Amino acid sequence: MTSVHSFRRTLSSDLAQAVVALVESEGLRTGDPLESVKALAARFDVAVPTMREALRRLEGLGMVDFRHGSGIYVGPNAGRRVLANPLQSRPDADQLVELLEARRQIEPSLAMLAAEVRDPAGIALMDETLAQAQAQIASGDDRLWLTNLDFHRAVAAAGGNSVLVEVLDSIVLIHAEDQREILRLHGDADDDHAEHAHLAGCVRRGEPEAARDAAYSHLDHVVEVIRARRR
Amino acid sequence: MTSVHSFRRTLSSDLAQAVVALVESEGLRTGDPLESVKALAARFDVAVPTMREALRRLEGLGMVDFRHGSGIYVGPNAGRRVLANPLQSRPDADQLVELLEARRQIEPSLAMLAAEVRDPAGIALMDETLAQAQAQIASGDDRLWLTNLDFHRAVAAAGGNSVLVEVLDSIVLIHAEDQREILRLHGDADDDHAEHAHLAGCVRRGEPEAARDAAYSHLDHVVEVIRARRR
């Protein structure tokens, strides 16, 4: 196992950390522009190549975005504590089963928490993604799989614990690409949607045990589909 | 919420991904040396500064380590799918409670899984960290808090699902520095150790419900300590 100590020390770069502190202190959010590399170098009193190197380090983490010809922006992972590794190969069938089993260990607890806490923003997001999925099923929109992923993240959000939202996000992002195929194999978008709607109802009505069981049986269903594919 | 799509595209760098593929195909592990920047640049047919930029991106993710005057090595996060963000500020008291509550949602399921699966390597690691903690308590070794963190990771490992191990690792790493203070506040290293030993016993004997309850009550204990500090 990695020593906690060496991990922290090896990765910490004072300059990159200073940019993170700047983003925080100015209250910048994902998509907000940052100063130019040159202006940042002047601000922190370092050479431009040194500044650029620190920014590339941040880019690797998804903390900043370089947009060609446009400048530097706050990236999607700013403020996050748990991340999906953006540089990993796509999971093979065995790894996919492991990922889904990880979700099966975590999501029922999250569904239970969601039904206990019922965070209003999370509930609103949950209802919004359900409505969007319904419309996409009706119109045959092929982005339904993305909406379905957002539904699972919305349930986590209803639990009100942002660390758990990040954990679920990370796991879901790892196999996002496969979700499209799962939906294709699963074959019945209506069934899938009905399971989501049932889970959402349990959360909305504040029924923790029912929400937990709904999450279990939904994920069992998905694991079944993937197991069948391997055979 | 971040779109899954843009996240993937923004972060992917072909060159960094190629280095990841090289590490995988050669079966390299954390700590193994990589070729020099110059040799890698030649291998991938790019300019040295371009290669260096890709490697800095990987360094930001903990996928490679630059050691001054010595070269480039495979980093602690190679092969990982879920990561702790290495560039984040230390959690404040509210965030610490949120982190511990996240662990309280996840660890009882992991303890239950551990008692069901009883992965031999995980069990061995669990026993090893317990013995080490015992010795450190006897000698007054101040690295006890690190060993205690390793114990929680070992329980996750006994469940045999590497995604869940990475998830727990990430959460634990985020507040590793605070763990030292928790132990100091908690004040009773022997009590803490007895709770760990009890949990380990449930896992070893294959008692899932007892393992789950042991994890709950241990983490409740820790959350109590932190809550008391905030008041």
Side-chain angles (χ1 to χ4, degrees), chain A:
Chain A
M1 283 191 177
T2 313
S3 150
V4 171
H5 232 73
S6 70
F7 176 90
R8 285 263 166 176
R9 282 196 189 150
T10 309
L11 289 187
S12 79
S13 145
D14 291 346
L15 199 49
Q17 194 79 61
V19 174
V20 171
L22 176 68
V23 167
E24 278 179 14
S25 71
E26 300 203 345
L28 300 180
R29 314 282 296 248
T30 300
D32 288 345
L34 279 173
E35 297 167 35
S36 69
V37 181
K38 216 170 140 185
L40 285 168
R43 174 194 283 268
F44 294 117
D45 198 20
V46 296
V48 169
T50 306
M51 193 67 233
R52 190 182 300 278
E53 208 172 276
L55 289 165
R56 287 295 176 193
R57 184 190 283 254
L58 287 164
E59 189 191 22
L61 284 162
M63 308 275 277
V64 307
D65 264 354
F66 281 79
R67 293 189 203 154
H68 194 68
S70 159
I72 310 167
Y73 294 80
V74 178
N77 285 340
R80 287 189 168 237
R81 288 151 295 183
V82 178
L83 309 176
N85 186 345
L87 289 173
Q88 55 194 330
S89 355
R90 195 161 157 188
D92 60 27
D94 283 345
Q95 291 168 331
L96 192 53
V97 169
E98 199 177 28
L99 281 163
L100 288 167
E101 281 176 348
R103 286 182 55 187
R104 202 177 155 282
Q105 288 298 320
I106 291 177
E107 289 194 52
S109 301
L110 296 197
M112 206 167 175
L113 185 67
E116 279 160 11
V117 173
R118 290 194 274 177
D119 178 86
I123 299 268
L125 206 54
M126 208 179 70
D127 290 340
E128 194 184 299
T129 57
L130 272 182
Q132 195 183 353
Q134 185 75 75
Q136 286 172 331
I137 289 170
S139 69
D141 191 321
D142 66 3
R143 287 164 303 176
L144 174 61
W145 64 283
L146 277 169
T147 308
N148 283 345
L149 288 181
D150 281 343
F151 173 75
H152 285 268
R153 301 154 93 187
V155 173
N161 183 309
S162 63
V163 178
L164 292 170
V165 174
E166 291 169 16
V167 165
L168 189 71
D169 258 11
S170 308
I171 299 182
V172 160
L173 277 168
I174 297 168
H175 67 110
E177 308 275 325
D178 298 286
Q179 198 63 29
R180 193 201 301 251
E181 202 180 344
I182 292 171
L183 188 63
R184 198 181 58 76
L185 287 166
H186 198 312
D188 200 329
D190 286 314
D191 267 11
D192 211 46
H193 185 68
E195 288 176 14
H196 285 178
H198 170 59
L199 170 54
C202 300
V203 170
R204 213 182 292 112
R205 291 188 301 274
E207 298 167 2
E209 282 78 17
R212 179 195 59 203
D213 295 345
Y216 265 128
S217 73
H218 176 57
L219 284 162
D220 280 347
H221 212 153
V222 178
V223 172
E224 262 313 293
V225 171
I226 300 302
R227 284 240 164 83
R229 177 171 73 160
R230 284 162 89 202
R231 284 192 291 263

Side-chain angles (χ1 to χ4, degrees), chain B residues 3-212:
Chain B
S3 150
V4 171
H5 232 73
S6 70
F7 175 89
R8 285 260 166 179
R9 280 195 189 150
T10 308
L11 289 187
S12 79
S13 145
D14 292 345
L15 199 49
Q17 194 80 59
V19 175
V20 171
L22 176 69
V23 167
E24 277 178 15
S25 71
E26 301 203 345
L28 301 179
R29 314 282 295 251
T30 300
D32 288 345
L34 279 173
E35 296 168 35
S36 69
V37 181
K38 216 170 140 185
L40 286 167
R43 173 193 282 270
F44 294 117
D45 198 20
V46 295
V48 169
T50 306
M51 194 67 232
R52 189 182 302 278
E53 207 172 279
L55 289 165
R56 287 295 176 192
R57 186 190 281 254
L58 286 164
E59 189 191 23
L61 284 161
M63 309 276 277
V64 306
D65 264 354
F66 282 78
R67 295 190 201 153
H68 194 69
S70 157
I72 309 168
Y73 294 81
V74 178
N77 286 339
R80 289 190 166 236
R81 288 150 296 183
V82 178
L83 309 176
N85 186 344
L87 290 173
Q88 55 195 326
S89 356
R90 194 161 158 189
D92 60 27
D94 284 345
Q95 291 167 333
L96 191 53
V97 168
E98 199 177 28
L99 281 163
L100 288 167
E101 280 174 350
R103 287 182 56 188
R104 204 176 154 283
Q105 289 298 320
I106 292 177
E107 289 195 52
S109 301
L110 296 197
M112 206 167 174
L113 185 68
E116 279 159 13
V117 173
R118 290 195 273 177
D119 178 86
I123 299 268
L125 205 55
M126 207 178 69
D127 290 341
E128 195 185 298
T129 57
L130 272 182
Q132 196 183 353
Q134 185 76 75
Q136 286 172 331
I137 290 171
S139 70
D141 190 321
D142 66 3
R143 288 163 303 177
L144 174 61
W145 63 283
L146 277 169
T147 308
N148 283 345
L149 289 181
D150 281 342
F151 172 76
H152 285 269
R153 301 154 92 186
V155 173
N161 183 310
S162 63
V163 179
L164 291 171
V165 175
E166 291 169 15
V167 165
L168 190 70
D169 257 12
S170 308
I171 300 182
V172 159
L173 278 168
I174 298 168
H175 68 109
E177 308 276 323
D178 298 287
Q179 198 64 27
R180 193 201 299 251
E181 201 179 346
I182 292 172
L183 187 64
R184 199 180 57 76
L185 286 166
H186 198 312
D188 200 330
D190 287 313
D191 267 11
D192 210 46
H193 185 67
E195 287 177 15
H196 285 179
H198 170 59
L199 169 55
C202 300
V203 169
R204 214 182 291 112
R205 292 189 301 273
E207 299 167 0
E209 281 77 18
R212 178 196 59 203

